[in-house]
Amino acid sequence: MKLAAGGVALVGVGCGDGGGGGRWGESGLPLVAATTTMVADLARSLGVGMVEVAALMGPEVDPHLFKPGQRDVQLLRGAEVVMYGGLHLEGRMAEMLERMERHGGRVFAVSAGLREGSVIEADGAHDPHIWGDASMWADAAAYAVERLAGYFPARAEEVRGRGEGVVASLRAVHERLKARAEEVPEGRRVLVTSHDAFRYFGRAYGFEVLSVQGIATVSEAALADMARISGVIRSRGIKAVFVESSVSPATIKRISEETGAVLGGELCSDALGAPGEMVDAGGRLVDKGTVGGMLEYNMDTIVRALR
Ligand SMILES: [Zn+2]
């Protein structure tokens, strides 16, 4: 209920300033507030040298559970523009963000720019983990370019020029990911993880995804589900299962012990690594703090464990 009150207090953020601004970051540049590390990465890559980006959530923070504190509320209030993921990714902030947007705030969800029919419906809701498919994240980026160009008309050409490079780079990542997935024999392309974050990744790159989220309590259904997943691992000869950086590894470890499938490594699902964290991904050095780099790192981890 405290959240709702916070939401009411935030109505009007970004309203009525005539676009003149006065909302500046420490660098003297206009401040853009981004919710997750993925959205912050997009904002930084599009607005480098033009805006200052402040992220509400850091690496290893679960966006589904994140609750904004006083500092975050101040950040949202002080920002010239607010960018978020949407599709209820920011579960405990979603209502507040949507309300700010409805009331004319300079606030937008990057997922609003996705192609019709591309969003996955699961368990009666939209799946918000769209960055798992680099081509969809490229669509989200193209949309963000137009929104930012609209908010900063004097810099519109600059944003569009930079945006072209960002979109092209994500499309190139998409092609590389498709090629790397081929290294795993088709029958073994099964991704067993902790929570439901890889449906888009699986659809885009040809992996069947089995997740064990929700199996925290030992109910009959949970045991049946775990038994089903273990059965698939045995019958298909799946060599490895994966833990996630922002989710408890307990159930995955149990499945690993039960089936003999090894722990294939830690995947980034709902948060990136630290910006500038360079890692090897199949002979390419990639920045785990960017969406493209994180996807290549994840794919490399998966391919090495399953092939
Ligand atoms: Zn998630």
Side-chain angles (χ1 to χ4, degrees):
M1 293 306 102
K2 231 176 159 186
L3 252 187
V8 170
L10 273 165
V11 169
V13 165
C15 298
D17 66 354
R23 300 187 154 96
W24 310 100
E26 279 170 20
S27 59
L29 297 170
L31 187 65
V32 171
T35 53
T36 66
T37 50
M38 289 73 72
V39 177
D41 169 48
L42 181 56
R44 277 191 202 102
S45 60
L46 295 175
V48 62
M50 199 185 94
V51 298
E52 182 178 323
V53 177
L56 268 62
M57 304 175 207
E60 297 183 9
V61 173
D62 182 343
H64 305 292
L65 302 177
F66 179 80
K67 200 176 161 191
Q70 196 52 43
R71 246 186 91 242
D72 305 304
V73 172
Q74 277 168 4
L75 189 60
L76 294 172
R77 279 202 180 124
E80 180 75 17
V81 173
V82 175
M83 289 170 63
Y84 68 106
L87 302 176
H88 237 266
L89 171 66
E90 298 89 347
R92 303 173 86 170
M93 296 177 70
E95 208 180 305
M96 175 177 87
L97 291 162
E98 285 161 15
R99 194 184 297 124
M100 284 164 65
E101 204 174 347
R102 275 202 307 276
H103 284 76
R106 293 156 73 102
V107 178
F108 70 95
V110 300
S111 55
L114 297 175
R115 287 161 212 237
E116 218 183 310
S118 64
V119 172
I120 295 174
E121 304 278 333
D123 309 323
H126 299 304
D127 184 337
H129 303 90
I130 54 170
W131 55 91
D133 176 342
S135 72
M136 284 180 76
W137 196 245
D139 291 342
Y143 175 73
V145 167
E146 284 314 308
R147 292 297 297 253
L148 290 173
Y151 291 138
F152 302 101
R155 312 290 291 268
E157 283 321 298
E158 190 184 334
V159 177
R160 290 198 177 104
R162 199 174 291 130
E164 265 177 40
V166 170
V167 170
S169 145
L170 284 165
R171 298 214 183 280
V173 167
H174 182 62
E175 294 307 316
R176 282 200 294 275
L177 292 174
K178 279 200 290 189
R180 285 228 65 194
E182 303 275 313
E183 292 177 33
V184 181
E186 216 174 318
R188 288 216 296 262
R189 278 185 224 155
V190 181
L191 185 57
V192 181
T193 61
S194 310
H195 100 293
D196 280 330
F198 292 92
R199 288 193 190 98
Y200 291 100
F201 181 91
R203 184 176 70 178
Y205 309 113
F207 287 85
E208 187 181 328
V209 179
L210 300 172
S211 62
V212 288
Q213 185 198 34
I215 308 179
T217 54
V218 185
S219 67
E220 249 171 69
L223 285 173
D225 213 17
M226 262 174 92
R228 184 181 63 83
I229 290 172
S230 295
V232 173
I233 291 170
R234 287 197 194 93
S235 67
R236 304 270 293 270
I238 307 305
K239 290 186 190 172
V241 294
F242 301 88
V243 297
E244 294 170 37
S245 55
S246 53
V247 182
S248 160
T251 46
I252 285 293
K253 284 189 170 154
R254 206 168 131 191
I255 286 182
S256 164
E257 281 158 21
E258 207 170 281
T259 61
V262 300
L263 292 174
E266 186 184 80
L267 305 180
C268 293
S269 50
D270 289 4
L272 306 175
E277 188 184 345
M278 303 307 287
V279 290
D280 178 74
R284 288 175 61 83
L285 207 54
V286 298
D287 185 347
K288 209 173 152 188
T290 66
V291 169
M294 175 273 272
L295 287 172
E296 295 209 62
Y297 167 80
N298 276 355
M299 182 63 88
D300 184 58
T301 305
I302 292 164
V303 167
R304 278 191 292 114
L306 293 183
R307 71 187 165 194

